[in-house]
Amino acid sequence: MAAVERVVISRPLLAFPLFFQCTLVLVVIMKKLSVVTLILALSVLANIALIVVVLWLTHTETCDDQHQTPEELSNCTDYVNVFEDLRPGEINEVLEYLYSQKSLQLVKPNKANLTTNYILGIELHVPNKSQALDFLDREGEKPIREAKAILFLPQRDPPVVEEYIISPIPKPSNHYLNPRRNKSIPYRVRQFSNTEMVAAVRLLQKEVATKVENMLKRSYGAAFTNCDDKCLTFTASAISSAFSKKRKLWITSLYQQEFSTLHPVGFQILINMDGINASEWKIEKLWYANKIFDSVDELVHKYENNEIPKLVLRFPEPEKGESTIRGSLHIRGKEFPKIPKAGPRQYEPQGHRYTVHNQHVNYINWEFNYRMSYTSGIQLYDIRFQGERIIYELSMQEIAIVYAGASPNGIYAQLSDSAFGFGNRAYGMMPGVDCPEYATFLGSTILNEDFLEAKNYPNSICIFEHNTALPLRRHKSNSVRSGFFYAGVVDYVLIVRTAFVMFNYDYIIDFVFHQNGAIDVKLHSTGFIMSSLYFSEEEAYGMKMSDSSVGSVHNHMFSFKADIDILGTTNRYVTLDTEIDNKTRKWFENGEYFSQLTFKRRLKRTELQAAYKYNFNTPKYHIVLNNDKLNPYSEPRGYRIITKGFSKQMLPQNVGFEKSMAWSRYQMAMTKRKEEEATTSSMHSMFDGGDPVVNFQKYLDDDENIVDEDLVTWISLGMHHIPHTEDLPNTATTGNEMSITFLPYNYFPEDPSVGSRDAIRVDARLENKGRVTFQRHGTPFKFTCPPQQPDFEEILKNGSILFMSLAP
């Protein structure tokens, strides 16, 4: 279905026919009217004519429908999107095919245990770039649509995790190992699964909870069992397998309160989960009162015989005069503003200026495709401006977080969030808070072990146009020499947003499209901090957040991929290095040196030359360009990469978890594109520190030529976070923004936003005594209808949009 053309008809054109119709009727019946009645009728008709004239003179435009429903946006089939996520019916066909393969011995997730083969997840297998470009640019054959399935296969010898490609879609008839994985995946390094966590909780209930119940109640006023409304809860908080080369997991205990990570109790348990069968698992260590114990029995014995210090904590309660505890997101304290009044809102008076069809977005000069990967998160493909491809793939790769502390919870908490999945963590964004009310909210289709069939995760992506309230460009001239004028362009942008909730932390990711050909990737972190029970040793690793807790210092790290294609795939990477130029000039007094800025162009010829570690003393521009495509002034056309949020990864190289996040060693790297070098990380990186499934360092070590090649840019962002009391109840987005900007650099003869009808021009002349003329370039600016007010409380009342566990 083609995009619907909007036709705006001014009210006078609609009203004039009504005037003539009334006149005609009046002529027909006037002979039957009394004089008084005729005068009244003519008076009414004159008022109608007056209204028509006023409307015509004020040129007020009408408002179109301001919203398209998700169904209207997604059901059109005119655009063939080779990057579109698998649809529910396609996923179900893949499931049927896989379960029919007797050699795989698969059981459904609801019947799975640690020793059975089952499917962890299914998603689209993105076609090879060469095939996609042949179809997109050269009218070649459409790539075969395929699925990727992640299978847990503990019944293999040895047990493994495999990624299979299932082909074709629809009607699959074949499967083969993922060629982008050049090594088998040991079962020990598999990502987290519900089956495993259920088994871990059962072990804790059996071996720990009942045996220490009395001790916990005396120490903390709470327990795991028989606790009524004063309960403790578990959370998997730290991994030690990267250090021990065995699958081990530290579990920490918290008060079951809003929010639990703010209320640690200092009781931690190490589970050795190295065996396939849960009967092989064991409790290896326990940590209580800042001491380590080798068994539950040892801990209980020493506690009962007063051989160790005894902790005493009070169950969290509201402070005096408050109804809720600190850390809760219920409103409390002195409310403001004094008189409740609604804040400002934006709206679209003539409806969307963008369309979304089959995960393909058109917005003024922009078009691109989006998808939501279960394993890697949000991805954009084939990003074009004015019909020319700028970026082939722009995608998130990984979120890693490294904590510190004096307890095992702090020491071993080095985490890759992909182990929990990303696509299944992005849903339920709240209209009016997470995204504007007028945004288009779209779901994503995910198949993972949580459900037996493909499930729609609602409100996982929102798309909206937004006035940044900052001019894209502006100038006011008040000069006889240059003229009296004002010219400015409203910075309307299109934003594609998602939010990943990784238990306690929330990460908001925006892709922002400007009218001057620039793209921003913006990242904000919010959510709840992780804290540790206060001991004097913890003071080196955090600030006190309460009488009994310390907010643990940590480093957030984010990996992004940008496959930039500047007018084709023959690109090079050049830096413009700012330096000091010391020279004498013939005309300069006394022949003295004069120091000033200059810059040098430096072509990076190999991958190791291009591996960049930020140095404040060597400022530079990073530019990807096509040396064969010149602008009118003989400068190579390109895009500049600007980052705000470089963070130094300070862990020693190749120690523990660091090897699994080798991408974080560099703030930026450039490699020759290869299909088998598709990602910086994998869902297995939480546990694979000894021998990473994806070792980014190997991408660089072969040191290939990158001059006039198809290049991929790998960018690392991050921030060090030392929590403070204003992080309670949870961390604000203010001050926690990181960004990447892709900015045209000699790509256009001039700023392409010069053609935007969102510009306003005001001119004045001295001889006209200061009177001004306005230019709005045909863009309507007066509207009489109010913005639509969607009743989102009604839409969200059953809760399933926000909370998948409540879905029927």
Side-chain angles (χ1 to χ4, degrees):
M1 184 179 76
V4 177
E5 182 181 359
R6 297 188 179 277
V7 180
V8 180
I9 303 175
S10 62
R11 288 187 177 179
L13 295 180
L14 293 174
F16 269 120
L18 178 62
F19 173 78
F20 289 120
Q21 289 174 34
C22 292
T23 304
L24 180 62
V25 171
L26 185 59
V27 169
V28 172
I29 66 173
M30 56 186 282
K31 294 182 179 180
K32 300 181 181 180
L33 298 177
S34 67
V35 175
V36 175
T37 305
L38 180 60
I39 292 172
L40 290 174
L42 288 172
S43 176
V44 171
L45 193 60
N47 285 328
I48 292 174
L50 179 61
I51 292 171
V52 167
V53 171
V54 170
L55 288 172
W56 181 75
L57 289 174
T58 57
H59 194 59
T60 301
E61 298 289 349
T62 60
C63 295
D64 289 343
D65 291 336
Q66 296 169 30
H67 291 271
Q68 287 175 283
T69 67
E71 291 75 17
E72 290 173 326
L73 291 169
S74 61
N75 285 341
C76 297
T77 57
D78 60 320
Y79 178 81
V80 178
N81 182 1
V82 297
F83 309 104
E84 184 183 3
D85 286 316
L86 297 177
R87 297 178 178 180
E90 294 174 322
I91 291 176
N92 291 336
E93 280 193 353
V94 174
L95 286 172
E96 184 178 348
Y97 170 81
L98 288 174
Y99 286 128
S100 71
Q101 303 305 301
K102 302 300 182 183
S103 61
L104 295 176
Q105 299 177 289
L106 295 170
V107 302
K108 294 187 176 181
N110 62 334
K111 297 181 179 179
N113 58 48
L114 293 170
T115 63
T116 56
N117 297 350
Y118 70 96
I119 302 168
L120 184 76
I122 294 173
E123 65 173 274
L124 176 75
H125 179 64
V126 176
N128 288 350
K129 183 177 181 180
S130 59
Q131 296 173 329
L133 292 186
D134 187 52
F135 172 73
L136 293 170
D137 298 345
R138 295 178 285 276
E139 298 184 354
E141 186 177 349
K142 179 184 174 183
I144 297 173
R145 191 159 167 81
E146 298 179 312
K148 178 177 72 175
I150 304 165
L151 307 185
F152 279 3
L153 303 173
Q155 294 187 6
R156 291 281 178 86
D157 187 15
V160 292
V161 178
E162 297 284 20
E163 292 184 6
Y164 282 106
I165 308 305
I166 296 90
S167 180
I169 306 297
K171 299 181 179 179
S173 59
N174 181 38
H175 66 280
Y176 57 93
L177 288 174
N178 185 0
R180 295 172 190 164
R181 287 273 182 256
N182 56 11
K183 62 191 299 182
S184 60
I185 303 169
Y187 196 60
R188 177 182 64 80
V189 304
R190 67 193 180 276
Q191 59 269 46
F192 274 116
S193 68
N194 292 338
T195 301
E196 184 173 37
M197 293 313 299
V198 168
V201 169
R202 286 175 179 168
L203 176 65
L204 292 170
Q205 290 172 335
K206 177 182 176 182
E207 299 293 335
V208 179
T210 55
K211 294 181 180 180
V212 298
E213 182 177 312
N214 291 331
M215 183 193 81
L216 296 177
K217 286 184 176 180
R218 280 180 278 175
S219 294
Y220 309 129
F224 296 111
T225 58
N226 304 315
C227 52
D228 297 325
D229 60 345
K230 293 186 176 181
C231 295
L232 297 175
T233 185
F234 297 113
T235 185
S237 60
I239 310 301
S240 64
S241 59
F243 299 86
S244 68
K245 303 226 165 75
K246 291 188 176 181
R247 192 173 180 85
K248 297 183 179 182
L249 184 67
W250 277 99
I251 301 287
T252 192
S253 306
L254 312 158
Y255 283 119
Q256 191 168 311
Q257 288 285 292
E258 183 184 318
F259 190 80
S260 60
T261 58
L262 300 178
H263 305 288
V265 299
F267 180 52
Q268 300 172 28
I269 306 142
L270 177 62
I271 306 178
N272 186 330
M273 304 185 300
D274 210 38
I276 294 175
N277 198 312
S279 62
E280 303 173 47
W281 294 5
K282 62 180 180 179
I283 306 298
E284 197 164 275
K285 301 285 183 182
L286 299 99
W287 186 84
Y288 171 82
N290 204 20
K291 294 184 180 297
I292 285 285
F293 303 89
D294 292 328
S295 69
V296 178
D297 291 339
E298 179 192 3
L299 169 60
V300 173
H301 175 79
K302 290 185 176 182
Y303 179 89
E304 295 294 346
N305 288 279
N306 299 315
E307 297 177 23
I308 57 173
K310 294 184 177 181
L311 289 178
V312 178
L313 295 179
R314 188 180 68 178
F315 193 85
E317 295 178 353
E319 296 180 0
K320 186 177 180 180
E322 299 290 352
S323 59
T324 58
I325 63 171
R326 291 178 73 238
S328 161
L329 289 181
H330 291 287
I331 186 172
R332 60 183 173 279
K334 187 176 181 180
E335 296 182 4
F336 58 89
K338 186 175 182 180
I339 300 174
K341 296 180 71 174
R345 294 179 178 178
Q346 292 192 17
Y347 76 108
E348 299 169 310
Q350 293 183 280
H352 302 319
R353 299 202 296 182
Y354 62 88
T355 59
V356 185
H357 297 158
N358 301 334
Q359 296 180 214
H360 178 76
V361 179
N362 275 283
Y363 170 63
I364 306 178
N365 285 320
W366 288 104
E367 62 175 309
F368 56 89
N369 306 289
Y370 71 88
R371 67 176 297 258
M372 181 65 77
S373 167
Y374 164 54
T375 57
S376 301
I378 185 130
Q379 302 177 347
L380 271 56
Y381 283 92
D382 197 20
I383 301 172
R384 303 183 186 217
F385 184 78
Q386 294 182 346
E388 291 181 340
R389 182 178 301 109
I390 305 298
I391 300 177
Y392 175 75
E393 178 188 350
L394 180 57
S395 60
M396 193 184 80
Q397 297 289 297
E398 182 63 274
I399 301 175
I401 185 165
V402 177
Y403 283 92
S407 73
N409 175 52
I411 292 172
Y412 293 113
Q414 300 181 3
L415 313 172
S416 284
D417 281 343
S418 61
F420 308 97
F422 282 120
N424 57 318
R425 304 280 171 170
Y427 65 91
M429 286 192 291
M430 172 65 75
V433 182
D434 297 326
C435 310
E437 292 178 345
Y438 62 85
T440 298
F441 289 85
L442 300 164
S444 55
T445 301
I446 302 289
L447 185 285
N448 69 349
E449 61 169 341
D450 292 336
F451 301 101
L452 296 177
E453 58 184 14
K455 204 76 174 177
N456 177 265
Y457 283 67
N459 290 22
S460 62
I461 294 170
C462 70
I463 300 177
F464 57 96
E465 191 178 8
H466 175 65
N467 182 345
T468 66
L470 184 71
L472 180 62
R473 290 181 289 102
R474 62 95 67 188
H475 183 68
K476 179 171 67 69
S477 176
N478 189 32
S479 166
V480 173
R481 295 183 299 276
S482 298
F484 298 89
F485 68 88
Y486 170 88
V489 181
V490 182
D491 191 18
Y492 287 120
V493 297
L494 187 76
I495 297 179
V496 178
R497 173 174 293 173
T498 190
F500 299 105
V501 182
M502 311 309 296
F503 182 48
N504 58 311
Y505 260 110
D506 300 43
Y507 300 104
I508 301 169
I509 297 177
D510 286 351
F511 297 95
V512 185
F513 298 87
H514 297 264
Q515 294 187 37
N516 64 346
I519 307 169
D520 294 327
V521 181
K522 292 187 176 182
L523 176 66
H524 291 85
S525 65
T526 177
F528 290 93
I529 62 168
M530 190 76 76
S531 59
S532 299
L533 186 68
Y534 174 76
F535 289 97
S536 58
E537 294 93 329
E538 289 287 358
E539 291 179 351
Y541 307 103
M543 300 281 185
K544 287 193 72 174
M545 308 298 285
S546 70
D547 291 335
S548 61
S549 68
V550 170
S552 305
V553 59
H554 52 282
N555 186 9
H556 297 272
M557 299 292 293
F558 308 89
S559 177
F560 285 88
K561 176 182 181 180
D563 184 348
I564 303 172
D565 286 354
I566 302 300
L567 302 166
T569 57
T570 305
N571 292 169
R572 54 177 60 183
Y573 170 41
V574 172
T575 61
L576 306 183
D577 295 6
T578 305
E579 299 176 356
I580 292 295
D581 181 37
N582 295 307
K583 286 185 179 179
T584 60
R585 306 291 180 186
K586 293 179 181 179
W587 49 265
F588 196 69
E589 295 180 6
N590 303 320
E592 295 178 0
Y593 279 100
F594 188 83
S595 298
Q596 59 184 344
L597 291 177
T598 186
F599 68 91
K600 298 289 175 59
R601 292 177 171 88
R602 288 192 167 88
L603 172 66
K604 306 302 180 182
R605 295 189 173 276
T606 70
E607 291 172 325
L608 286 176
Q609 283 184 9
Y612 176 65
K613 296 184 178 181
Y614 180 77
N615 185 343
F616 190 81
N617 294 317
T618 58
K620 60 186 77 232
Y621 276 22
H622 305 270
I623 301 171
V624 176
L625 56 84
N626 189 321
N627 203 53
D628 296 326
K629 306 292 184 180
L630 308 181
N631 70 5
Y633 316 108
S634 300
E635 292 289 351
R637 297 171 67 184
Y639 261 68
R640 179 186 169 200
I641 303 169
I642 307 168
T643 60
K644 296 177 182 178
F646 278 160
S647 177
K648 183 176 177 58
Q649 202 285 94
M650 301 177 69
L651 294 176
Q653 193 163 307
N654 292 324
V655 174
F657 176 65
E658 193 276 342
K659 196 173 182 180
S660 293
M661 52 183 295
W663 51 269
S664 66
R665 298 171 185 171
Y666 309 96
Q667 282 70 58
M668 186 183 301
M670 201 79 61
T671 62
K672 180 179 177 180
R673 192 188 190 283
K674 298 177 181 176
E675 287 295 337
E676 63 271 22
E677 294 182 354
T679 61
T680 58
S681 187
S682 77
M683 293 182 75
H684 317 284
S685 60
M686 185 91 88
F687 292 94
D688 69 358
D691 183 17
V693 173
V694 175
N695 188 341
F696 180 75
Q697 186 61 45
K698 291 183 177 180
Y699 293 12
L700 307 178
D701 287 344
D702 57 7
D703 203 23
E704 290 186 282
N705 170 64
I706 58 169
V707 178
D708 298 332
E709 298 284 354
D710 190 358
L711 302 183
V712 175
T713 307
W714 310 93
I715 303 169
S716 301
L717 299 177
M719 64 177 183
H720 291 93
H721 186 186
I722 304 174
H724 49 98
T725 52
E726 289 81 9
D727 282 312
L728 297 176
N730 65 348
T731 298
T733 56
T734 309
N736 288 320
E737 178 182 309
M738 294 148 279
S739 67
I740 309 166
T741 297
F742 302 94
L743 188 71
Y745 201 82
N746 295 320
Y747 191 91
F748 301 100
E750 63 177 342
D751 186 334
S753 69
V754 73
S756 174
R757 291 181 182 270
D758 293 326
I760 295 176
R761 170 93 187 194
V762 184
D763 286 279
R765 293 181 179 274
L766 286 174
E767 58 268 28
N768 289 340
K769 298 181 179 180
R771 285 179 293 180
V772 299
T773 60
F774 283 82
Q775 295 182 50
R776 293 184 179 268
H777 314 289
T779 301
F781 63 95
K782 293 182 179 179
F783 302 93
T784 59
C785 65
Q788 290 186 2
Q789 300 288 328
D791 188 354
F792 286 110
E793 289 191 20
E794 180 67 23
I795 296 171
L796 299 172
K797 68 180 182 180
N798 67 6
S800 61
I801 290 178
L802 297 177
F803 312 106
M804 287 294 290
S805 59
L806 300 180

